[in-house]
Amino acid sequence: MEWASVLHNPYLKDLPFKIELNKWGKILMSPASNKHGSLQYEVGALIDRKKGNGKIIMECSMTTSDGVKVADVAWASDAFIERYGYDTPYLKAPEICVEITSPSNSRAEMEEKIQLYLAKGAKEVWIVDENGLISYFSHEGSVPESREMQG
């Protein structure tokens, strides 16, 4: 299945799940709780306040080597938006990609997403646990704080 087919499929449009595709075009679904949605907003608002420019994108889809993945939150610079607009899915990852963990997520799945987003050009990947604790990752591996938020 192609991403455009997912977007335009009337049976998939109102599901209460995050939908992704694996590299074979098979649909993967992850249920999200209200706490998950609240954390998405809080993290997006935090980045928006600190960065003061660029765009926050909730449920940001991008093509990876393992199919279309959807970051819970992403921050794209003005330059990124000028270049790529709102292409769906993006062929390159925005500068910051955030995943909020759910009980259904395994550690290996989160580690794989970190690598997939970094390989597609993200400068940082944030993993937010169910308590709102954020872990930061860059091309150097785990880092103690976000370098992207210090600019």
Side-chain angles (χ1 to χ4, degrees), residues 18 20 30-41 43 59 70-73 97-114 117 125-137:
K18 176 176 167 175
E20 297 178 322
S30 300
S33 68
N34 290 334
K35 174 75 173 183
H36 187 275
S38 178
L39 285 169
Q40 274 183 282
Y41 171 78
V43 171
E59 304 295 328
V70 180
D72 291 309
V73 180
C97 295
V98 181
E99 282 292 331
I100 298 167
T101 61
S102 299
S104 63
N105 296 130
S106 69
R107 180 181 174 114
E109 180 183 359
M110 290 296 103
E111 289 173 2
E112 181 178 45
K113 282 192 171 186
I114 291 167
Y117 296 157
V125 178
W126 300 8
I127 303 297
V128 181
D129 73 14
E130 294 169 334
N131 298 312
L133 182 65
I134 304 173
S135 299
Y136 306 95
F137 300 86

Side-chain angles (χ1 to χ4, degrees), residues 1-150:
M1 181 171 262
E2 297 291 324
W3 194 244
S5 299
V6 171
L7 291 177
H8 297 100
N9 187 314
Y11 297 109
L12 301 175
K13 76 177 210 175
D14 292 323
L15 292 175
F17 302 110
K18 176 176 167 175
I19 297 175
E20 297 178 322
L21 295 179
N22 69 14
K23 60 186 166 191
W24 296 286
K26 291 186 179 174
I27 294 175
L28 306 172
M29 292 188 287
S30 300
S33 68
N34 290 334
K35 174 75 173 183
H36 187 275
S38 178
L39 285 169
Q40 274 183 282
Y41 171 78
E42 290 173 23
V43 171
L46 168 73
I47 297 170
D48 196 39
R49 279 193 310 274
K50 294 264 188 171
K51 293 300 278 184
N53 61 12
K55 297 287 182 192
I56 298 296
I57 304 170
M58 300 291 187
E59 304 295 328
C60 181
S61 61
M62 64 203 85
T63 301
T64 73
S65 61
D66 190 38
V68 176
K69 300 301 177 200
V70 180
D72 291 309
V73 180
W75 177 80
S77 67
D78 290 335
F80 183 95
I81 296 297
E82 186 175 313
R83 180 165 185 184
Y84 300 102
Y86 292 100
D87 291 349
T88 304
Y90 284 125
L91 298 178
K92 180 175 172 39
E95 290 89 342
I96 299 174
C97 295
V98 181
E99 282 292 331
I100 298 167
T101 61
S102 299
S104 63
N105 296 130
S106 69
R107 180 181 174 114
E109 180 183 359
M110 290 296 103
E111 289 173 2
E112 181 178 45
K113 282 192 171 186
I114 291 167
Q115 296 310 312
L116 290 170
Y117 296 157
L118 290 172
K120 290 305 286 190
K123 293 183 179 177
E124 287 184 354
V125 178
W126 300 8
I127 303 297
V128 181
D129 73 14
E130 294 169 334
N131 298 312
L133 182 65
I134 304 173
S135 299
Y136 306 95
F137 300 86
S138 71
H139 290 279
E140 293 100 48
S142 179
V143 293
E145 58 188 5
S146 170
R147 294 182 187 134
E148 284 295 304
M149 297 294 280
Q150 297 177 2

